[in-house]
Amino acid sequence: MNWITRLFPFLLWIKDLSNPKNLKADILAGTTVAFVIIPQSMAYAQLAGLGPQYGLYASFLPVLIGALMGSSRQLSTGPVAVVSLLTAAALGEIVTDPSSYAVYAALLALIVGVFQFSLGILRLGFVINFLSHPVVTGFTNAAAIIIGASQLPKVFGIRVISSNDTDWVSACQPLTIIERIESIDVNGLHAICNADQSYQTIARLLEAAVFHTHLPTLAMAISGVLGIILFQRFFPRLPAILSVAVLSTVASFLMDFQAMGGAIVSSINIDGLFSFKVPRFDFNAVGTLFIYAITISLIGFMEAISVAKSMAATTKQRLDVNQELIGQGLSNVTSSFFQGYSVSGSFSRSAVNLTAGAVTGFSSVVTAIIVGLTIVWLTPLLYHLPQATLAAIILMAVVNLVHFSPLRHAWKVEKHDGLVGLLTFVMTLTFAPHLENGIAFGIILSLGLFLYRTMEPNFTELSVEHGSIIASRFADESVEASQSVKVAKWSGSLYFANAAYFETKLLELIAKNNDELQYVIVDVASIVQVDASGEQVLSNLVESCSSSGVEILFARTERLEAELFRSGFKKRYGENRFFDLRADALKYVWQELENIEKEKDEAQVEDIDDTSESN
C-alpha cells in the first residue's frame, strides 16, 4: 500500500465496481445486511442502556466510515452485543442523571476511537496479542451469558429499576439491599430493584417471575425466538430477524399489545439524518471511562480482526491489522460526533455479508444508505415493535457467542491455558456488572502464566565421549563420557525473570563435576534474546568460573551476535569463546586439552632432565 491508498483504502476496491456483476452482488449483500442491522442495532442500543435511535445512528455513518477506511472488504461494522454490554457497564459507573446517558456514551465512543486510531497510526496492532485466546474465549462466554440474563426482564415482563432510572430514589433507595418491590409499575409490569451484583438481580428476577410473569410478554418473546429459528431453517433466503420484527410489530398493533401491559418501542426520537453533536468532555469521568475504553477497544477489535482474518482466508484478500485499527477507530470517532455509541466489527453480520456475495466495501455503503433512509422515513413504522421481540433478537444473537469447546481444547493442549480461560469465565460472571475486572483478571493471569513458564526453561546437561564432536543427552553406558568437558543446552531466552535460574543450574553442573571439569560448552541456539540482566549473569559466570579453572564457551551464537557485539561482551572475553557450531567448540576444546597434555609431558621431561643434571 502506498501513501495514497493508506489515506484512502477504498481506492483499492472502488475500481472493482466497474464490473456490473460485482456492483449487483454488493447491492444485494448490503441490502441483506441492512435488513439484519436495523432491528439488531435497536436491540443492542437498549442493551447498552440507550434508546433505539442511538443504535440506528451507530449503524449509519460508522458503518460507512468503517468500510471506506478499513482494509477488510466484507467486515460489517456497527453495534455488537459485547461492546453494548461493556458500554452499559461503563456508563453505570458514572451516570447518575438519565438525561446525560447518551452524552457519556458518545464520550466513551470518542475515547475508544482515539485509542484505536492511535494504535493503528503508531503501527501497534500487535497489542491485541496480549489478549490470549483462552482469556477472550472465557470472557466472551461469560459476557454472552450476562447478555442473555440481562434480557430476561423483557422476556418475563418484569421491570428492573436501576440506579440511573428517574424513580430509583423514590422507589428503591429507602429499601434495604435484600428487599423487593411488591407494587405494580405504571405500565402494569411488576418491578424489582437492581442489586449491586448481577447474580443477585437475576435471583430476584427469577423469584419474581414465578408469580408475576406477564404472560403476553412471555408469549411474544417465545414467538420471536421460535420465529427466528423457523425462518432460518425453512426460509433461509428471507431475512429472519427483519421478518420476525415486522410480523411481531403487526401482531402488536392488531392485538393492542401496549394496552395489555406489554412494553413497546414507542416513538423514536430522531433528530435528523446528520445529527452532529460534539461530545461533552468531562475530565472527571474520563479516568473511569478510559479503563472501559481500553477493554472495549481490545475486545471489540479482537472480534473484528478475528472475523476479518477468517474472511480474508476465504477471499484471498490482503488484510492490514493496523489499517483496520485506523478504520475501526475512525468509525468510533464518527459515531461519537453523530449521537452513536461504541461500535465494532460484527461476526454475525459480516458472515451474512460474505454469504450474500459481497465483493467490496461498497456493500457496507449500501447498508449505511438503507439505514439512513430508515432513520429519515421509516422509524414511525417501528412504534409498535415489542420490547420482547428485541430481547428475542439479542438472545438468538448471543447463542452464537457461547462456545465452550475452545476451552476444552485449550485444556487438552495445555492445562494451564484451559485453567486461565475457565477462571476468566468464572471471575467475569462473579464481577458482573464490573466486566473490566474479569478481563483484567484474565490478562494478569495470562501474563503471570507466561512469566511462570519462562522462569524455569529446560536446562539440559549433555554428555560427550572424549575426542568426539557429538554430544548426547542419553550417554551410551558402554562408552565412558568425558569428565573434563560438559555441554549444557538452554531452551529459551535469557532475561531478568530466569537469569538467576540459569546461573544456579550452571553452577550446579560445575559443582557436580568440579574435580576434573575444565570446559563447559553452553549451547545458546534457543536464546533469541538476552537483556541486561542476562548479559550480566553471563559476565559473572565467565569471570568467576575462569578464576576457579573452568572455562565457559558458547556454541551456536548466530542469533546473539548483535547483542554480544553491541554490549562489548565478545571483546571483553575473547573471540575464541564463541563458535557457530557445537562441533567447532568441541574440536577447539579437544585441541586445547591435547595442548595442555603436551605441555604437561614436556614439563615432566624437563623436570627429569633437570634432576639428572643435578645428580
Side-chain angles (χ1 to χ4, degrees), residues 461-465 468-475 486-488 521 523 582-583 586:
E461 179 183 345
L462 304 179
S463 297
V464 60
E465 181 186 354
S468 174
I469 59 172
I470 299 175
S472 173
R473 183 175 181 180
F474 304 101
K486 294 295 179 181
V487 179
I521 300 172
D523 187 335
R582 201 159 63 194
L586 286 167

Side-chain angles (χ1 to χ4, degrees), residues 151-213:
Q151 298 308 298
L152 293 180
K154 295 179 182 177
V155 171
F156 294 123
I158 296 174
R159 181 180 173 226
V160 177
I161 304 176
S162 61
S163 57
N164 54 17
D165 288 335
T166 54
D167 52 353
W168 167 262
V169 174
S170 60
C172 296
Q173 192 128 0
L175 303 177
T176 63
I177 193 74
I178 60 173
E179 287 179 313
R180 297 175 290 111
I181 295 178
E182 299 294 346
S183 59
I184 299 298
D185 188 28
V186 292
N187 292 323
L189 299 178
H190 185 77
I192 62 172
C193 288
N194 193 25
D196 290 338
Q197 299 295 330
S198 294
Y199 64 87
Q200 295 173 319
T201 304
I202 294 171
R204 295 182 189 180
L205 174 66
L206 295 176
E207 181 184 356
V210 174
F211 303 102
H212 302 287
T213 294

Side-chain angles (χ1 to χ4, degrees), residues 222-384:
I222 294 175
S223 299
V225 171
L226 293 177
I228 293 174
I229 294 173
L230 293 174
F231 270 103
Q232 289 177 340
R233 180 162 186 176
F234 297 107
F235 306 99
R237 294 188 176 182
L238 293 176
I241 294 176
L242 181 66
S243 300
V244 168
V246 170
L247 291 176
S248 63
T249 301
V250 172
S252 173
F253 172 75
L254 293 177
M255 70 173 63
D256 200 358
F257 184 64
Q258 185 179 21
M260 298 170 64
I264 61 174
V265 169
S266 277
S267 297
I268 300 178
N269 300 319
I270 297 294
D271 292 340
L273 184 60
F274 297 101
S275 51
F276 180 83
K277 286 188 179 180
V278 178
R280 189 175 68 198
F281 206 84
D282 184 349
F283 287 97
N284 294 325
V286 167
T288 302
L289 290 179
F290 188 72
I291 303 299
Y292 280 95
I294 294 176
T295 305
I296 291 172
S297 298
L298 297 181
I299 290 293
F301 186 71
M302 191 79 169
E303 179 180 354
I305 202 63
S306 296
V307 65
K309 285 181 177 178
S310 176
M311 293 188 299
T314 302
T315 61
K316 306 297 188 293
Q317 293 170 349
R318 184 177 180 277
L319 182 68
D320 186 334
V321 173
N322 292 300
Q323 186 62 49
E324 203 58 56
L325 268 170
I326 292 173
Q328 293 291 304
L330 291 175
S331 292
N332 277 290
V333 170
T334 303
S335 186
S336 71
F337 281 101
F338 290 90
Q339 296 195 65
Y341 70 104
S342 300
V343 297
S344 182
S346 167
F347 181 87
S348 59
R349 294 194 299 272
S350 297
V352 170
N353 199 28
L354 181 64
T355 305
V359 180
T360 73
F362 185 70
S363 62
S364 292
V365 176
V366 173
T367 298
I369 292 172
I370 294 176
V371 172
L373 295 175
T374 301
I375 292 173
V376 175
W377 287 307
L378 302 181
T379 51
L381 299 178
L382 302 171
Y383 182 93
H384 289 280

Side-chain angles (χ1 to χ4, degrees), residues 134-135 137-139 407 416-426 445:
V135 169
T137 301
F139 175 81
L407 290 179
H416 289 151
D417 286 337
L419 184 61
V420 167
L422 179 61
L423 289 176
T424 301
F425 171 77
V426 172
L445 193 61

Side-chain angles (χ1 to χ4, degrees), residues 36-46 52 55-56 59 79 341 349:
V36 175
I37 198 174
I38 290 171
Q40 202 175 62
S41 64
M42 296 169 62
Y44 288 160
Q46 297 202 348
L56 293 174
S59 302
Y341 70 104
R349 294 194 299 272

